[in-house]
C-alpha cells in the first residue's frame, strides 16, 4: 500500500536508468522517450556536461540561502538576459512559482489587479497560477479562484481588442499552448496583443515554461513572433531535470521587486545554478539551436507525409521539437498502446498526441517513433 497521495494517474513503469532518449525500467524493458520529462530533459537524460557540473558543485556547497551572494546566479542571469529581451532575473524552483512571481510583480508595479489570460491555457497549479489557467477542469473542487482573472478566446484578436482596457495590469500568454493542445498562436494575434498592450500601458507576460530554453529552435519561442515582452517565465528545460525556474523582466520593473517584496528559500541555490549554467551554455549555442530546427522540421515533415491520408488525424502542428498530432477521437488508448510498444508520448488535451523529444534525438529514433505512431493511428 502506497503512502503517497494519489494525485497522479501513474503508469506502470518504474524507471531504473535513463540515458539520452532511452529509458530502461526495473524489468529491463527499453523505451524510446519522446516526453523528456515533459519538456524538461531537453539535452536528454544524464547529459554528461550537466552531470559533471552538478557533481563538481556537490563537492563544494549545496545550499546557503539567498542572504548570501551566489556567483552562479549572476552567471545564469547573464545568460538568460543576454539571450532574451529581459534585464533582471528572479530565481525560483518551478514554472508555477515563476508565474506566481510574474503575477505579484505585475500587480505591484501597476497598482492594478486584473490579468487577462486565454482559454485552454495552462500556467500552474498554485492558487495564483491556477487562477491564471483558462481550464475549468484545473479549477474544479478548490472553491473560488483568486479574483481578477479573465479568460479570452485564443487566436481571437477582435475579442481581445474589444475587451482590453487600461484597468488591466497584465496579459499572460503562451505563444504556443502546450497542455492545451500544442496550439501555436497566429502571428497577427500574438503581435496584435503585444501592440495593444504597449498602446494601453499593459504589461505583457509570456509564459515560456514549456516552450522556452530552445524547445522551438529559438532560445525563447516568442522570438518567432518578433515581439518584446515585459516578463518571461521559464522552468522545465532550464536545469535539464534539476528543479529550477526563473522570472525574467525588464529594467523598469526592478524597483517593484526590492528587498522583502518576494523570495524563495531554495530558489537559485548553487546546485540549481550549476545545472542551469551547464544546460544554457549547451542549449544556447548556435549549433544546438540549429539542430533543434533541423530535427523539428524532419519530424514534422515526416509525420505530415506519413499521416496525410490517415482519416483519424485532423492536423499535425508545432514548432521545433514540440509537436502535436490532433485526432478526431480521444487519444488516451493510442498513447497507452504506444507505451506498450516501447514509445513514450503524452496527451495534450483529450484528442492530441504530444511529442517532446530531446534535442539529442537521432534521426533513426525519429523514424522509429513515426513508424509506431503511423501504425497506431491507422489501427
Amino acid at each position: 500500500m502506497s503512502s503517497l497521495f494519489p494525485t497522479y494517474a501513474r503508469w506502470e513503469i518504474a524507471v531504473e536508468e535513463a540515458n539520452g532518449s532511452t529509458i530502461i525500467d526495473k524489468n529491463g524493458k527499453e523505451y524510446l522517450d519522446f516526453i523528456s520529462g515533459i519538456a524538461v530533459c531537453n539535452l536528454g537524460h544524464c547529459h554528461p556536461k550537466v552531470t559533471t557540473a552538478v557533481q563538481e558543485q556537490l563537492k563544494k556547497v549545496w545550499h546557503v540561502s539567498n542572504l548570501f551572494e551566489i556567483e552562479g546566479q549572476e552567471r545564469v542571469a547573464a545568460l538568460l538576459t543576454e539571450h532574451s529581451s529581459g534585464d533582471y532575473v528572479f530565481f525560483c524552483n518551478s514554472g508555477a512559482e515563476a508565474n506566481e512571481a510574474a503575477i505579484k510583480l505585475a500587480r505591484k508595479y501597476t497598482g492594478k489587479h486584473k490579468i487577462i489570460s486565454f482559454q485552454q491555457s495552462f500556467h500552474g497549479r498554485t492558487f495564483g497560477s491556477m487562477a491564471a489557467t483558462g481550464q475549468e477542469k484545473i479549477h474544479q473542487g478548490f472553491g473560488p479562484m483568486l479574483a481578477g482573472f479573465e479568460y479570452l478566446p485564443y487566436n481571437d484578436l477582435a475579442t481581445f481588442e474589444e475587451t482590453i482596457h487600461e484597468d488591466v495590469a497584465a496579459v499572460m500568454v503562451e505563444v504556443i499552448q502546450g497542455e492545451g493542445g500544442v496550439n501555436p498562436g497566429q502571428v497577427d494575434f500574438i503581435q496584435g496583443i503585444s501592440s495593444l498592450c504597449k498602446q494601453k500601458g499593459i504589461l505583457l507576460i509570456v509564459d515560456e515554461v514549456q516552450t522556452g530554453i530552445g524547445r522551438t529552435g529559438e532560445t525563447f519561442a516568442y522570438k518567432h513572433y518578433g515581439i518584446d515582452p515585459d516578463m518571461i517565465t521559464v522552468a522545465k528545460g532550464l536545469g535539464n531535470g534539476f528543479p529550477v525556474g526563473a522570472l525574467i523582466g525588464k529594467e523598469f520593473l526592478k524597483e517593484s521587486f526590492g528587498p522583502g517584496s518576494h523570495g524563495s528559500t531554495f530558489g537559485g541555490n548553487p546546485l540549481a545554478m550549476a545545472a542551469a549554467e551547464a544546460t544554457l551554455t549547451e542549449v544556447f549555442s548556435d549549433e544546438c539551436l540549429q539542430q533543434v530546427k533541423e530535427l523539428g522540421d524532419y519530424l514534422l515533415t515526416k509525420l505530415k507525409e506519413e499521416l496525410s491520408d490517415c482519416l483519424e488525424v485532423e492536423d499535425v502542428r508545432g514548432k521545433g521539437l514540440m509537436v502535436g498530432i490532433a485526432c478526431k477521437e480521444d487519444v488516451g488508448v493510442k498513447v497507452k498502446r504506444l507505451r506498450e510498444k516501447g514509445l513514450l508520448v503524452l496527451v495534450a488535451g483529450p484528442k492530441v498526441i504530444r511529442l517532446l523529444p530531446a534535442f539529442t534525438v537521432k534521426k533513426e529514433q525519429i523514424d522509429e517513433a513515426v513508424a509506431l505512431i503511423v501504425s497506431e493511428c491507422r489501427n
Side-chain angles (χ1 to χ4, degrees):
M1 180 177 175
S2 175
S3 297
L4 298 170
F5 276 113
T7 50
Y8 305 101
R10 296 185 191 272
W11 302 341
E12 293 182 354
I13 298 175
V15 178
E16 185 70 22
E17 59 181 296
N19 191 274
S21 294
T22 301
I23 279 177
I24 303 172
D25 72 13
K26 66 178 182 180
N27 298 314
K29 181 175 179 177
E30 289 194 10
Y31 298 85
L32 178 54
D33 182 11
F34 267 47
I35 296 174
S36 304
I38 314 183
V40 168
C41 300
N42 287 356
L43 293 174
H45 297 284
C46 297
H47 190 276
K49 291 185 179 178
V50 181
T51 300
T52 298
V54 173
Q55 287 175 336
E56 290 178 353
Q57 186 61 52
L58 278 168
K59 300 171 187 175
K60 297 177 182 178
V61 57
W62 295 20
H63 178 78
V64 292
S65 93
N66 281 297
L67 295 173
F68 296 83
E69 293 182 7
I70 299 173
E71 291 182 357
Q73 288 188 10
E74 296 290 349
R75 294 194 297 271
V76 176
L79 283 167
L80 289 171
T81 55
E82 177 187 347
H83 292 280
S84 74
S85 62
D87 302 296
Y88 288 91
V89 177
F90 171 82
F91 288 110
C92 51
N93 308 288
S94 68
E97 288 181 43
N99 285 330
E100 287 283 344
I103 291 165
K104 285 182 66 174
L105 180 52
R107 286 184 164 191
K108 192 166 190 290
Y109 174 79
T110 63
K112 303 170 186 178
H113 69 274
K114 187 172 183 179
I115 293 177
I116 299 290
S117 62
F118 297 92
Q119 293 167 11
Q120 294 308 116
S121 61
F122 183 83
H123 300 291
R125 294 180 183 273
T126 54
F127 254 96
S129 61
M130 177 171 62
T133 294
Q135 296 189 51
E136 179 58 30
K137 68 179 183 180
I138 303 298
H139 303 165
Q140 288 175 356
F142 296 103
M145 289 295 102
L146 183 67
F149 290 85
E150 184 174 357
Y151 320 111
L152 300 183
Y154 194 66
N155 279 329
D156 185 345
L157 187 59
T159 299
F160 180 83
E161 191 167 5
E162 291 170 4
T163 306
I164 203 79
H165 297 288
E166 285 82 355
D167 64 343
V168 175
V171 172
M172 181 177 281
V173 64
E174 300 160 276
V175 294
I176 303 174
Q177 291 185 328
E179 303 295 326
V182 191
N183 301 314
Q186 296 168 2
V187 173
D188 61 345
F189 172 71
I190 299 297
Q191 291 183 345
I193 64 175
S194 175
S195 177
L196 285 165
C197 282
K198 289 191 185 302
Q199 288 176 29
K200 297 182 181 295
I202 295 165
L203 297 175
L204 178 61
I205 304 165
V206 176
D207 180 337
E208 293 260 13
V209 171
Q210 187 164 155
T211 55
I213 319 298
R215 175 53 57 181
T216 66
E218 293 283 353
T219 53
F220 299 97
Y222 76 82
K223 292 187 176 183
H224 293 290
Y225 295 85
I227 62 171
D228 184 25
D230 300 302
M231 287 185 253
I232 306 151
T233 57
V234 294
K236 288 190 180 289
L238 182 54
N240 207 60
F242 200 99
V244 56
L247 165 65
I248 309 166
K250 292 283 195 181
E251 184 175 10
F252 66 82
L253 298 166
K254 178 185 176 184
E255 297 307 316
S256 294
F257 247 19
S261 59
H262 195 47
S264 170
T265 297
F266 297 108
N269 75 41
L271 288 176
M273 293 300 94
E277 184 177 5
T279 299
L280 293 181
T281 301
E282 193 74 11
V283 170
F284 285 175
S285 68
D286 292 339
E287 181 183 5
C288 183
L289 293 172
Q290 183 59 33
Q291 181 169 294
V292 174
K293 291 175 185 175
E294 291 176 0
L295 289 171
D297 288 345
Y298 182 78
L299 173 59
L300 204 59
T301 299
K302 199 168 184 65
L303 282 169
K304 286 182 176 181
E305 289 175 350
E306 297 285 342
L307 294 170
S308 60
D309 62 346
C310 182
L311 299 178
E312 170 63 16
V313 174
E314 293 187 327
D315 190 20
V316 179
R317 58 190 181 233
K319 200 77 173 174
L321 289 171
M322 181 178 181
V323 174
I325 303 166
C327 299
K328 292 180 180 178
E329 306 293 337
D330 287 7
V331 297
V333 173
K334 286 181 169 53
V335 168
K336 183 176 185 294
R337 286 200 294 250
L338 286 169
R339 190 160 66 241
E340 290 168 351
K341 294 174 182 177
L343 175 63
L344 303 178
V345 296
L346 290 169
V347 298
K351 297 181 180 181
V352 179
I353 299 171
R354 181 172 28 155
L355 311 179
L356 299 164
F359 303 170
T360 53
V361 68
K362 307 298 183 188
K363 282 189 175 180
E364 311 87 79
Q365 293 174 315
I366 290 177
D367 292 342
E368 180 185 346
V370 169
L372 287 167
I373 291 166
V374 171
S375 173
E376 185 55 48
C377 286
R378 292 185 186 281
N379 251 341

